[in-house]
Amino acid sequence: MEHTNKENLLSKDSLPSQQDQPLTEIADIDADAPSRLWTKEFLILTACNLLVFLNLHMILSSLPLYMREHYNAGDFYVSLCTSLMALAAIVSRLFSARALELGKRNVILFGGLLIALLGTIGYYFSATIILLLVMRVIFGFGFGMYSTTFPTMVSDIIPRKRMGEGMGYFGLSTTISMSMGPLIGMSIEKQYGFTPLIIIGSIFILILFPLAYSLVKGQDKKIAEQKIIADQRKLAAQAKAASEGIVVETIDTPSLPAKASKFEKKLLLPSLLNFLMSLTYGGLVSFIALFGKEAHLANPGYFFLFNALAVIAVRPFSGKIYDSKGPKALIIPGAVLLIAGLLLLSFAHSTLGLFGSAICYGLGWGALQPTMQTWMIQVVNPHQRGMANGMFLNSLDMGVALGAMILGAIAGITSYTSMYRFSALFIVLYILVGIVYMIKAKGTPAQTQHSIHIKIK
């Protein structure tokens, strides 16, 4: 959907006091905008996002053992397989976000799906580890394109006052996929081999084509309808003001700028926090199976199952807390839970210890990940949401990529147990950055948004 950036330019001295209320109604012309969250479009977009990340994490978590057994690959190549895909996604988002800002949504969405499909099928034909890495780059390039588009589309249909709650539920699909995907992928590979994973991953992408087409068609129709409604409201506002002897000028920010806007510096802080948090996940998704062998754990993939259950449990509450109190209320508690989860995992030598660590980590991740994404969406103008979602996903993928490489190197020198203890230091740094932010943000007044610009002549 298309929205405009809004700011009320009225001053109390501009009008007699008896006319303040009518102009408030004029300015807030979208006050009666629908607040329903669980629409058909929201549900379809959430399902699309679930398939997107299930495909990613089912294969990503299974590749380390497959590479070790099929190519006799060491830790360096295992981490490189994760990192190259993430870096390719990051590069593709650099232009995807700008293309979305300029209204090239369909090209980015369907082009990305096609490229990712080719990369996924290409795994089957990769006879050498070099070819496999090439397919990872191709897949990552396509993934970076369409994974930016779906969150941008959903942020456009969520009611503004329920953005934290809405993005929380939408982000639940991402986190469940990140948690359940590895468990499903490792189980399928163990029972049937890697080829069925390629087939299932390809089917997921094929399903996305008709779902995405239905969304694009429906959103284009609603955009046209909303433009007509917005024009009617604008004319009604002008007529009402004119009837009261007030001359007004309405000024709309263009929904599709002629050129992409400059980078928004307000995205840097939440991007940094998301990056630090994602460094730890890179160590989990890349090495949890190998850690299980080292710690003699029968089913290390169950970490992701209980992680997902914890995420589901915390997500309804964290979104509402964000909407009422903002990100400051979630940063420290969520980070403490992440540290507890990593430390418990490093000491886990039984299934019970694995479950406890997974629950702690899941509660922290489930509270913080949608917080970072919603925060980034809300600090930019509506037409910059592609940029915000691109930055969120880039910081996530960069964290996973560098986390896999850094923590893999540490594991090679020490052990996977020591690696997870070291990774907790990233979250300590997260807390320190968060404290600095809260100190600086203390007492800063919240910004209020309205519907149109009104100047009194």
Side-chain angles (χ1 to χ4, degrees):
M1 302 306 168
E2 297 179 353
H3 302 276
T4 55
N5 186 37
K6 312 143 200 174
E7 180 182 0
N8 190 356
L9 299 179
L10 292 172
S11 71
K12 293 182 179 179
D13 298 331
S14 301
L15 296 168
S17 59
Q18 66 268 25
Q19 293 178 330
D20 287 350
Q21 180 60 31
L23 277 178
T24 301
E25 295 173 358
I26 294 171
D28 200 9
I29 60 172
D30 69 345
D32 60 340
S35 60
R36 192 159 65 97
L37 175 61
W38 297 100
T39 60
K40 177 183 177 181
E41 292 82 1
F42 181 82
L43 292 173
I44 293 176
L45 279 165
T46 303
C48 287
N49 203 57
L50 181 71
L51 292 175
V52 165
F53 284 92
L54 266 179
N55 172 49
L56 172 69
H57 291 285
M58 280 171 45
I59 294 177
L60 178 62
S61 61
S62 305
L63 275 171
L65 282 177
Y66 173 74
M67 294 174 66
R68 184 69 58 87
E69 295 171 358
H70 193 73
Y71 301 105
N72 195 29
D75 287 341
F76 172 75
Y77 280 103
V78 170
S79 61
L80 193 62
C81 193
T82 301
S83 302
L84 285 178
M85 179 245 128
L87 291 174
I90 290 169
V91 171
S92 72
R93 290 194 190 107
L94 293 178
F95 73 84
S96 296
R98 291 186 175 274
L100 287 173
E101 194 174 334
L102 297 174
K104 307 295 183 182
R105 178 195 59 195
N106 294 356
V107 174
I108 296 300
L109 176 55
F110 293 106
L113 287 172
L114 181 59
I115 293 171
L117 178 62
L118 294 175
T120 302
I121 295 174
Y123 296 147
Y124 180 79
F125 300 98
S126 299
T128 66
I129 193 170
I130 299 300
L131 284 176
L132 181 67
L133 293 176
V134 171
M135 291 303 109
R136 291 297 288 165
V137 170
I138 292 174
F139 173 82
F141 199 82
F143 174 79
M145 294 168 68
Y146 64 75
S147 65
T148 308
T149 309
F150 287 124
T152 303
M153 293 172 70
V154 83
S155 63
D156 285 340
I157 66 171
I158 295 175
R160 188 176 68 238
K161 294 181 180 179
R162 301 182 67 180
M163 186 64 73
E165 181 184 3
M167 291 306 298
Y169 283 118
F170 176 78
L172 187 60
S173 62
T174 303
T175 312
I176 289 176
S177 301
M178 294 174 74
S179 302
M180 294 300 296
L183 175 62
I184 296 170
M186 286 188 285
S187 299
I188 292 175
E189 184 187 20
K190 184 177 181 180
Q191 294 292 327
Y192 307 104
F194 192 70
T195 300
L197 278 177
I198 298 174
I199 296 173
I200 294 172
S202 299
I203 291 173
F204 283 172
I205 296 178
L206 287 171
I207 292 172
L208 286 170
F209 277 96
L211 289 177
Y213 178 76
S214 68
L215 286 168
V216 166
K217 188 176 179 181
Q219 282 203 342
D220 287 344
K221 181 179 178 181
K222 287 192 174 182
I223 286 172
E225 292 174 350
Q226 285 199 344
K227 186 177 186 304
I228 294 173
I229 294 173
D231 290 341
Q232 291 173 343
R233 287 179 174 177
K234 191 188 306 182
L235 291 173
Q238 290 173 326
K240 185 172 183 179
S243 68
E244 297 177 3
I246 304 167
V247 179
V248 301
E249 176 189 356
T250 59
I251 306 170
D252 290 323
T253 302
S255 56
L256 291 177
K259 62 179 181 179
S261 56
K262 294 182 179 179
F263 176 74
E264 177 56 67
K265 293 182 180 179
K266 292 180 182 178
L267 293 172
L268 289 175
L269 176 60
S271 295
L272 174 61
L273 293 175
N274 194 49
F275 168 76
L276 292 172
M277 184 172 67
S278 303
L279 286 169
T280 65
Y281 190 79
L284 287 171
V285 73
S286 298
F287 301 109
I288 190 71
L290 300 176
F291 167 76
K293 285 189 173 182
E294 179 183 273
H296 305 291
L297 297 172
N299 295 294
Y302 281 123
F303 175 93
F304 297 103
L305 172 62
F306 281 84
N307 182 75
L309 293 175
V311 168
I312 293 171
V314 75
R315 188 56 57 84
F317 305 102
S318 62
K320 292 182 179 179
I321 292 172
Y322 180 95
D323 284 334
S324 61
K325 298 184 179 180
K328 296 187 291 293
L330 294 164
I331 288 177
I332 303 301
V336 170
L337 286 167
L338 288 179
I339 291 175
L342 292 168
L343 293 180
L344 286 173
L345 179 62
S346 71
F347 288 102
H349 295 286
S350 66
T351 303
L352 183 62
L354 185 74
F355 291 171
S357 65
I359 290 172
C360 286
Y361 192 89
L363 290 174
W365 185 271
L368 290 178
Q369 190 196 39
T371 293
M372 298 300 109
Q373 187 171 19
T374 309
W375 185 0
M376 295 172 76
I377 289 172
Q378 289 190 322
V379 298
V380 299
N381 294 325
H383 68 272
Q384 294 176 306
R385 286 173 180 166
M387 178 196 298
N389 283 306
M391 281 292 294
F392 168 77
L393 293 168
N394 276 350
S395 58
L396 173 65
D397 285 343
M398 181 65 78
V400 171
L402 291 181
M405 296 184 70
I406 295 171
L407 296 176
I410 292 172
I413 298 173
T414 57
S415 65
Y416 295 111
T417 296
S418 299
M419 177 195 74
Y420 286 125
R421 293 172 188 169
F422 179 88
S423 68
L425 295 178
F426 293 130
I427 308 301
V428 173
L429 181 57
Y430 178 104
I431 292 176
L432 294 177
V433 174
I435 290 174
V436 172
Y437 156 70
M438 286 185 284
I439 291 174
K440 289 186 175 182
K442 188 175 181 180
T444 301
Q447 294 181 348
T448 305
Q449 288 187 328
H450 302 276
S451 300
I452 59 173
H453 294 267
I454 297 182
K455 290 184 179 179
I456 308 301
K457 293 183 177 179

